[in-house]
Amino acid sequence: MFHFFKYNWQVRDEWFDLLQTLSQEQLHQSRTGGVGSIAFTLFHVIVVEHNWISGLGQKALSGAEFKDYQGIAELRQLSQTFRKDIEEFISNWHPEMAQKRLASKLKQEEESFSYPEILAHVIAHEIHHIGQLSIWARELGLKPVSANFIRRGIL
Amino acid sequence: MFHFFKYNWQVRDEWFDLLQTLSQEQLHQSRTGGVGSIAFTLFHVIVVEHNWISGLGQKALSGAEFKDYQGIAELRQLSQTFRKDIEEFISNWHPEMAQKRLASKLKQEEESFSYPEILAHVIAHEIHHIGQLSIWARELGLKPVSANFIRRGIL
């Protein structure tokens, strides 16, 4: 399962490279669907991944705010910083953790999710949002980053 | 890894339910990005998944053609038929298969992919294209199917 994290990070880094050519206006322009803009999509996938993994590791949430990460350079830096935490979590993973559950306060009623369920959720979450970016990139005349998992040397 | 197939199938079935309210014109309208239309996106994810799994199982490709699956009912039927083949492949999976490779003729030069690499590719492929559908759905005023992996009872 952790191979998908590596995939998402490779793809995300390639999106940073591609999108650094855009103006701030293009990055922040309001768009239909998803979370509403290219910049906020990047912030959102970075923070959602880190929040869930912080939860699994029983660590405090970062509290990162979008207003502090308005450009590609800042977003890339945030991504790199958070990635270290996630790599640490992954390197400390042991099979018994697959039996653990995390209580969540996302909804009014109490609920909990298994650790593997959350890892799968985080993975699918980013791939889904990157699919949205690919549409917006085409609308801007850009060739999207490849979503291929093959030919990345990951598995 | 196979849990993601179940996820993709649940999500796909929910998209069929949502999109059956659309007209043929809306389904086939040319759109920016992705593979160019809602209907062709659905056909594409169904056939690409089945082609790769047929390859892994050393079976002939189906040769299904888009012209024969123009409506949601036909696409749903194709999805259900192909799913049986994929379920059979999954039920016959054994760990040694993770060491196997499939030679591919996708490019001029010879290349091969490991079986896990192909499974991961098929999984990410559909999630990515569904992300694109979610943008197009919003443009049509529809609330997209949830991409959440949590709360599906899969893991």
Side-chain angles (χ1 to χ4, degrees):
Chain A
M1 187 120 82
F2 292 122
H3 298 291
F4 281 110
F5 282 84
K6 197 167 174 184
Y7 163 82
N8 273 336
W9 294 339
Q10 271 193 18
V11 171
R12 193 194 295 168
D13 285 344
E14 291 170 22
W15 276 100
F16 289 141
D17 292 342
L18 179 70
L19 297 174
Q20 67 188 356
T21 61
L22 295 184
S23 66
Q24 284 297 98
E25 190 186 341
Q26 288 170 316
L27 286 174
H28 291 271
Q29 190 187 324
S30 175
R31 298 176 196 280
T32 301
V35 292
S37 76
I38 291 172
F40 191 58
T41 300
L42 294 169
F43 178 79
H44 178 69
V45 297
I46 294 166
V47 167
V48 165
E49 179 184 72
H50 191 258
N51 281 353
W52 279 111
I53 301 298
S54 297
L56 296 182
Q58 295 173 297
K59 303 206 168 162
L61 302 190
S62 70
E65 293 184 55
F66 182 44
K67 67 175 173 55
D68 299 323
Y69 303 94
Q70 297 282 292
I72 292 295
E74 293 82 6
L75 289 161
R76 193 199 294 265
Q77 184 58 52
L78 182 68
S79 173
Q80 287 173 346
T81 302
F82 279 6
R83 195 169 306 177
K84 292 195 186 79
D85 296 334
I86 297 160
E87 285 170 337
E88 188 192 341
F89 174 82
I90 291 173
S91 70
N92 289 322
W93 178 266
H94 50 91
E96 307 94 84
M97 289 165 76
Q99 307 306 320
K100 291 181 75 173
R101 297 186 73 82
L102 180 69
S104 162
K105 288 170 187 162
L106 286 176
K107 291 196 167 181
Q108 289 283 354
E109 66 265 35
E110 281 187 37
E111 59 181 348
S112 70
F113 308 114
S114 76
Y115 273 38
E117 183 179 13
I118 289 172
L119 294 175
H121 180 70
V122 169
I123 289 162
H125 181 261
E126 178 151 351
I127 303 173
H128 181 79
H129 280 295
I130 293 291
Q132 299 173 332
L133 278 193
S134 76
I135 297 291
W136 294 339
R138 283 283 184 205
E139 289 172 354
L140 290 165
L142 295 174
K143 182 183 175 215
V145 170
S146 170
N148 284 341
F149 193 101
I150 54 172
R151 302 193 188 98
R152 289 184 177 277
I154 296 177
L155 272 172
Chain B
M1 187 121 83
F2 292 123
H3 298 290
F4 281 110
F5 282 84
K6 198 167 174 184
Y7 163 81
N8 272 336
W9 294 339
Q10 271 193 18
V11 171
R12 194 194 295 169
D13 285 344
E14 290 170 23
W15 275 100
F16 289 141
D17 292 343
L18 179 70
L19 296 174
Q20 66 188 357
T21 62
L22 295 183
S23 66
Q24 285 297 99
E25 190 186 340
Q26 288 171 315
L27 286 174
H28 291 271
Q29 190 187 323
S30 175
R31 297 176 197 280
T32 302
V35 293
S37 77
I38 292 173
F40 191 58
T41 299
L42 293 168
F43 178 79
H44 178 69
V45 296
I46 295 166
V47 167
V48 164
E49 178 184 74
H50 191 259
N51 280 354
W52 278 112
I53 301 298
S54 297
L56 297 182
Q58 296 173 296
K59 303 205 170 164
L61 302 191
S62 70
E65 293 184 54
F66 183 44
K67 68 176 172 52
D68 299 324
Y69 304 94
Q70 297 282 292
I72 292 295
E74 293 82 5
L75 288 162
R76 193 198 296 264
Q77 184 58 53
L78 182 68
S79 174
Q80 286 173 346
T81 302
F82 279 5
R83 196 170 306 178
K84 292 195 186 79
D85 295 335
I86 297 160
E87 285 170 337
E88 189 193 340
F89 174 81
I90 292 173
S91 70
N92 289 321
W93 178 266
H94 51 91
E96 307 94 86
M97 288 165 77
Q99 308 307 321
K100 291 180 74 174
R101 297 185 73 83
L102 179 70
S104 161
K105 289 170 187 165
L106 286 175
K107 291 197 168 181
Q108 289 284 357
E109 65 267 36
E110 282 188 37
E111 59 180 349
S112 70
F113 308 114
S114 76
Y115 273 38
E117 182 178 14
I118 289 171
L119 294 175
H121 180 70
V122 169
I123 290 162
H125 181 261
E126 178 150 352
I127 303 173
H128 182 80
H129 280 295
I130 293 290
Q132 299 172 334
L133 278 192
S134 75
I135 297 291
W136 294 339
R138 283 284 184 204
E139 289 173 354
L140 291 165
L142 295 174
K143 184 185 172 210
V145 170
S146 170
N148 283 342
F149 193 102
I150 54 172
R151 303 193 188 98
R152 291 185 176 275
I154 295 176
L155 270 172

